[in-house]
Every structure is written in structure tokens, then in C-alpha cells.
Amino acid sequence: MANMQGAHHAGHPLSFAALYGRAPTVLADAHGRANLIGEHTDYNGGFVLPTAIPQRTQVELATRDDTLVRAASMESNRPGEIVDYRLGEERQGRDWLDYIQGVTQIMRLQGLRIKGFEARIESTVPLGSGLASSAALEVSLARALRDAFALDLDDVELAKLSQRAENEFVGAHVGIMDQMAASLGEPGKALYIDTANLNFQIIPLPPQVELIVINSGIAHSHAGGEYNTRREECRQACQLLGVTQLRELDLADLPRVAGLPEPLNRRVRHVLTENNRVKCAVEAICTADLTYLGELFYASHASMRDDYEVSLAEIDLMVELARNDAQVYGARLTGGGFGGSVVMLAAAGKARGVAERIARQYAQQTGRKPTILVPPATTEQ
């Protein structure tokens, strides 16, 4: 499963044994994700195409015989600080612990029998980078609890439960993509999901292409207002168009969509054209038509920038730097927007050099500190 690195040795001051005085009985993890294409389509019942990235969240856990939950995150402001609550007494507003509380509350609401536990959480998925750090935490914890308490949950049910935790407890109205990607995704493969029915297909990426993911250095937050505003705009548009979900419409409906008031007309146009781009991207991946796949990436980014208005000037700059690089097929903002990361398709074997070049140019022109997440530096693997 996971390689047990430095912090896991019993002698380390922040190891599970040092924190809780015993060894963990369960180890589970879940990867972060980069969405290749299909942004803001998941909560509209549309199509998405994420892929898992090497960075992951890992949970070590040992069960208790009472209802007390004790947890420590190595990523919090006070790493190694143990925080606790009792099952049935979950309450919001406790920062990262809300994701833990959300999962246990939804499990109980769904009639799954769990007891208290002690958990140590460690993650290499950067927060606020648009790479689904919260889903990786929810899914890795849910996996650990599934193992520890022999819960009858398949991988899709586990994703749905994790999404409910974030929607109903944390208060971020995210679609299902991130949790599906964390639960089912594999690095090097695309996960094609129809979010209307959760049918999915795992599609290997062509060997001629290599992924790049660069964090812009601008953090975003889903629980913030703009993401939920976009969801509300889509809901209003559905009412005006007489549909329950935008998924019910396709490109043939664009003339009717154009008659909606601003900005609803552009929001819907993004969702309809983006759904179509996902389907085209799957075809392009299967036929290894990388030039066309790259064009779809750029078209998706333009739509997110102009129609959905979730990009920022710095993100647009990074996409343009990629466009001017001969080794890059395509680039686009990945994740909910308002910061986060850019995903790029580079020629195989060229990704690290390209990423370093683009990151350097971006830093010079913006004064920000970008981070190359994929491909990871050789020391991180």
C-alpha cells in the first residue's frame, strides 16, 4: 500500500505510536486529482474526466471501544495536536476536523455501525490548489473506517458518502467528481464519469503524452461564495429553461440558451459546450489525437475564463505561457477556479523541463511562487 516514511517510525515525535501510545491497526490512503477536462459540469449532471495525481492523503487509524474520536493532522497549523469529539456530537466550525466529523456523521445517518477511533492524517495534496485535497481526506478516512469496522460500502457508495459529508456538514456544495476520482482514480489513467448516473470508465492516457500540473500560488476555497454562486446561477437557469438539470440540454439548445438574461446565458453555454468537449476529449484520448485534445483544453479554458468567469489573470498568463511552448499540446485551469492549478499536456519525456521553464517565466512575470506538482521532483517519488 503506502511506503512508511520517516514520520511513521515509532521513535518519531509525531508518529502514531508517539501520539497515541500504540500502533495503528489500519492504514488507508486516497490520491488527489487533476481534472483533465469537464469543469463545473458535475453538479449539473454532466460529464467529467479527472485523473489521479501522485500526491495523496494517508490515514493511520486504531479503533476504540467507546464513542470518542481523537485525530491529529500533520498538515494543520499545529501538527501533532490531538483534537477530539464524540460520535453523535459532531459540530461544525472546527477547521479540518469538519471533514472527519462530516464523514462520521453521514455514516451514522446511513445506519453504518462505527465506534470511536484514533487517527493520524498526513497529506502531500496541497490545500487550496484545486486538486481535491478535501476529497482525498474524506475518502482516505472513509476507507480506513470501512476496513476498521468491516463496513459494507463499495467504492462508488464510499464516494457518495464522502460527497454528502462535504455538502451537508462542511457546507461546500461540490459535485461528485472529486470523491469519485479519489475513490476510483488511478495515476496515468483518465476516469470518464457520467455524473447523472455515476457510470464510469477507466481510460489509459496515451504513452506519447505526459501530464504537468503547476499550482499558481493562489489558493482558492470551495466553501467561499463564488463557487456556490455559480451553482445558484445554474439552478436559476434550469428554472427559466424548464429543466431539472442542465444535463438535459445539448448543443442544439444553444439558440434558446442565448435568450437567457446575462450572465445566465454564458454560464449555461459553458456547461453545454464543456459537456461536448469531454466527450470529444475521450475520443481524442482513445485515438491518441493529441493535437485535437490540446485544442479542446484551450477551448475549455477560454470558456471558463469568458463564459463561466472563474479564471484569474495569473492563471490566464500561465495558460498562455504553455501555449507558446512547442512541447505543450494544451493547457487549462483545473478545479473550481479563482486560483488553484493549471493542467497541461506535454510531449512524453519533456514534462519536467517544460514545467520548470513555464514556472520560471510565470514567477518572473507575476512575482508569485508557483509549485510544480506533476511530474513530482525525482526526490519526492
Side-chain angles (χ1 to χ4, degrees):
M1 191 119 171
N3 55 339
M4 301 295 252
Q5 291 167 328
H8 303 284
H9 297 318
H12 191 281
L14 296 180
S15 69
F16 191 97
L19 291 169
Y20 299 115
R22 56 180 177 148
T25 52
V26 170
L27 175 68
D29 64 8
H31 288 270
R33 66 101 190 96
N35 191 20
L36 296 173
I37 197 164
E39 222 69 72
H40 293 279
T41 48
D42 61 345
Y43 55 79
N44 288 299
F47 300 98
V48 291
L49 194 68
T51 183
I53 57 173
Q55 288 82 357
R56 62 182 181 208
T57 298
Q58 186 169 286
V59 173
E60 295 170 279
L61 187 141
T63 60
R64 297 174 60 92
D65 287 330
D66 56 14
T67 58
L68 186 67
V69 173
R70 303 174 76 209
S73 166
M74 302 304 107
E75 275 41 74
S76 72
N77 297 332
R78 293 188 286 275
E81 178 191 33
I82 298 171
V83 289
D84 62 48
Y85 67 95
R86 288 200 176 270
L87 296 174
E89 295 174 15
E90 292 91 348
R91 63 171 207 278
Q92 292 158 304
R94 300 191 65 187
D95 196 34
W96 62 269
L97 190 65
D98 282 8
Y99 296 99
I100 310 288
Q101 295 186 96
V103 169
T104 60
Q105 184 183 73
I106 299 298
M107 281 186 167
R108 288 185 312 95
L109 287 174
Q110 290 187 192
L112 296 165
R113 298 177 70 89
I114 58 172
K115 287 183 175 177
F117 57 89
E118 287 162 346
R120 179 190 182 278
I121 298 149
E122 187 167 9
S123 183
T124 53
V125 186
L127 303 175
S129 55
L131 301 174
S133 55
S134 52
L137 173 52
E138 292 148 4
V139 169
S140 57
L141 177 73
R143 278 180 171 163
L145 294 172
R146 177 172 68 182
D147 291 354
F149 297 106
L151 304 176
D152 184 18
L153 274 179
D154 68 27
D155 289 340
V156 173
E157 289 166 339
L158 191 135
K160 288 163 77 172
L161 183 149
S162 299
Q163 182 203 16
R164 278 191 69 190
E166 193 155 347
N167 286 176
E168 297 171 28
F169 191 88
V170 179
H173 301 294
V174 295
I176 190 73
M177 170 178 68
D178 292 357
Q179 290 79 11
M180 286 283 283
S183 188
L184 298 151
E186 302 171 38
K189 296 176 182 176
L191 181 67
Y192 180 34
I193 310 167
D194 180 343
T195 64
N197 52 27
L198 298 191
N199 288 344
F200 66 92
Q201 193 182 342
I202 292 169
I203 305 168
L205 295 173
Q208 307 94 306
V209 75
E210 209 176 339
L211 275 190
I212 294 174
V213 180
I214 305 178
N215 184 356
S216 66
I218 305 167
H220 82 132
S221 166
H222 266 177
E226 288 284 0
Y227 182 90
N228 289 345
T229 299
R230 291 297 177 279
R231 290 203 64 150
E232 176 58 24
E233 288 168 341
C234 290
R235 193 192 62 77
Q236 289 172 13
C238 285
Q239 281 188 323
L240 293 171
L241 292 163
V243 294
T244 50
Q245 271 191 318
L246 294 181
R247 164 60 182 276
E248 296 162 43
L249 307 172
D250 58 27
L251 297 183
D253 295 290
L254 285 175
R256 189 156 67 100
V257 167
L260 288 173
E262 280 278 351
L264 302 186
N265 50 2
R266 288 181 292 121
R267 303 295 188 254
V268 178
R269 182 168 63 193
H270 165 74
V271 174
L272 302 196
T273 56
E274 187 78 345
N275 275 331
N276 189 60
R277 282 187 288 268
V278 175
K279 290 188 265 189
C280 293
V282 168
E283 213 169 290
I285 288 170
C286 292
T287 57
D289 188 344
L290 303 179
T291 305
Y292 181 44
L293 185 59
E295 288 168 5
L296 292 165
F297 269 45
Y298 289 128
S300 169
H301 182 78
S303 181
M304 291 172 74
R305 179 190 66 209
D306 302 334
D307 281 353
Y308 224 68
E309 296 182 282
V310 293
S311 192
L312 298 172
E314 292 91 338
I315 298 279
D316 298 339
L317 170 69
M318 195 184 292
V319 170
E320 284 310 306
L321 292 170
R323 193 193 292 272
N324 294 331
D325 196 298
Q327 303 290 350
V328 177
Y329 291 104
R332 58 180 288 281
L333 166 63
T334 185
F338 310 105
S341 302
V342 172
V343 62
M344 308 174 190
L345 299 168
K350 306 287 188 192
R352 189 73 204 182
V354 169
E356 286 170 357
R357 188 158 61 233
I358 291 172
R360 191 165 56 243
Q361 294 168 335
Y362 171 84
Q364 286 166 353
Q365 294 186 39
T366 63
R368 290 188 179 272
K369 288 193 173 70
T371 315
I372 300 167
L373 300 169
V374 181
T378 43
T379 53
E380 291 172 20
Q381 286 178 330

